[in-house]
Amino acid sequence: MSDFLKKLEEKYKKPSLTEPMTIRITAEEDAAVRDLADALDCTRQELIRGLIIEYLLPARKQLELDGTSADADFPQSETGKLRYYVLNTNKTHDVADHDFMLNKGVAAAFEDGYKEKINRFKKGDMIFLYESGKGIVAYGNAEGNTQKAPHNGREDKTHYQTLEGFRKLHKSLSPKDIRRVLDRNIKFVQALTYLSDGEVLLAELKSQA
């Protein structure tokens, strides 16, 4: 617990933008949180955020890394065959990365171990951009030519492809609706997900346009 408290204190020395969040817990759970917050001389919000930073975010990171083991199963490009991917816009790590994709109409990845994923896109591949917490917010066809740009001051850490026919959705397609349309579960936390049935998702998006 002492290590957690030390990390909690360090986290709150650094200013950062935050978003409001509402959760419902039992009266007993609320009492326990209040007691712990009083004992640690912090607010309930600081305590809960500290727990998210210390435990939930690393768990999410592990799920994301676990998804890289499936990369070898992604199909090779076939002439005339359209492939479909869901690409996470990286908002969880950096809102600026998310904005870069939506404002520029590109599919991008950042940093070693992730940026190389963009190189797999062939001309015409359909890329659905997925925003954490919202769902699919845009889509377009990969240009087929990977370009490079700096990321946080480091050269060539951003790999991206322009999305032809890029379209932003007026209303995002939520994770729940994606599961409904595809009739299966998807681990949206992964940076890149191949969809063998992506044409079904594309048809749903076009029907709502």
Side-chain angles (χ1 to χ4, degrees), residues 59-70:
R60 180 198 182 281
K61 183 68 173 180
Q62 187 58 53
L63 282 175
E64 185 178 0
L65 292 174
D66 289 345
T68 61
S69 63

Side-chain angles (χ1 to χ4, degrees), residues 110-179:
F110 315 86
E111 307 302 325
D112 297 337
Y114 297 94
K115 66 181 191 294
E116 295 82 6
K117 296 176 184 291
I118 301 302
N119 301 339
R120 75 169 71 248
F121 297 153
K122 304 300 181 183
K123 184 175 178 60
D125 285 348
M126 177 59 65
I127 314 300
F128 302 108
L129 297 185
Y130 179 89
E131 178 181 349
S132 296
K134 288 190 175 181
I136 292 175
V137 294
Y139 64 94
N141 296 98
E143 182 186 38
N145 177 39
T146 299
Q147 302 180 62
K148 300 177 183 180
H151 186 247
N152 293 333
R154 290 177 290 174
E155 289 295 320
D156 296 341
K157 289 297 185 180
T158 297
H159 283 202
Y160 68 96
Q161 288 196 24
T162 298
L163 295 179
E164 298 175 332
F166 183 71
R167 174 175 291 181
K168 290 183 183 179
L169 301 179
H170 295 297
K171 180 182 179 182
S172 60
L173 190 67
S174 70
K176 180 179 179 181
D177 284 335
I178 296 171
R179 295 186 184 100

Side-chain angles (χ1 to χ4, degrees), residues 171-173 177 180-181 203-209:
K171 180 182 179 182
S172 60
L173 190 67
D177 284 335
R180 172 184 57 79
V181 172
E204 174 72 15
L205 294 175
K206 288 185 175 181
S207 71
Q208 296 183 10

Side-chain angles (χ1 to χ4, degrees), residues 12-125:
Y12 283 100
K13 287 181 180 178
K14 303 174 183 178
S16 60
L17 296 176
T18 59
E19 295 286 340
M21 185 178 95
T22 301
I23 61 173
R24 299 189 65 84
I25 58 178
T26 66
E28 292 80 6
E29 291 166 343
D30 181 58
V33 171
R34 288 177 183 273
D35 284 346
L36 187 55
D38 289 342
L40 302 179
D41 192 24
C42 66
T43 67
R44 288 182 299 165
Q45 289 79 9
E46 289 171 339
L47 175 62
I48 292 172
R49 183 170 175 233
L51 291 169
I52 290 172
I53 293 170
E54 183 68 14
Y55 298 105
L56 297 188
L57 293 186
R60 180 198 182 281
K61 183 68 173 180
Q62 187 58 53
L63 282 175
E64 185 178 0
L65 292 174
D66 289 345
T68 61
S69 63
D71 285 356
D73 298 329
F74 284 16
Q76 298 298 312
S77 178
E78 298 179 23
T79 303
K81 183 174 177 59
L82 184 64
R83 299 183 302 177
Y84 300 84
Y85 295 94
V86 175
L87 177 67
N88 194 296
T89 61
N90 205 43
K91 187 176 182 180
T92 301
H93 298 293
D94 194 333
V95 174
D97 294 343
H98 165 83
D99 292 340
F100 173 74
M101 288 194 232
L102 270 293
N103 293 337
K104 298 292 186 181
V106 300
F110 315 86
E111 307 302 325
D112 297 337
Y114 297 94
K115 66 181 191 294
E116 295 82 6
K117 296 176 184 291
I118 301 302
N119 301 339
R120 75 169 71 248
F121 297 153
K122 304 300 181 183
K123 184 175 178 60
D125 285 348

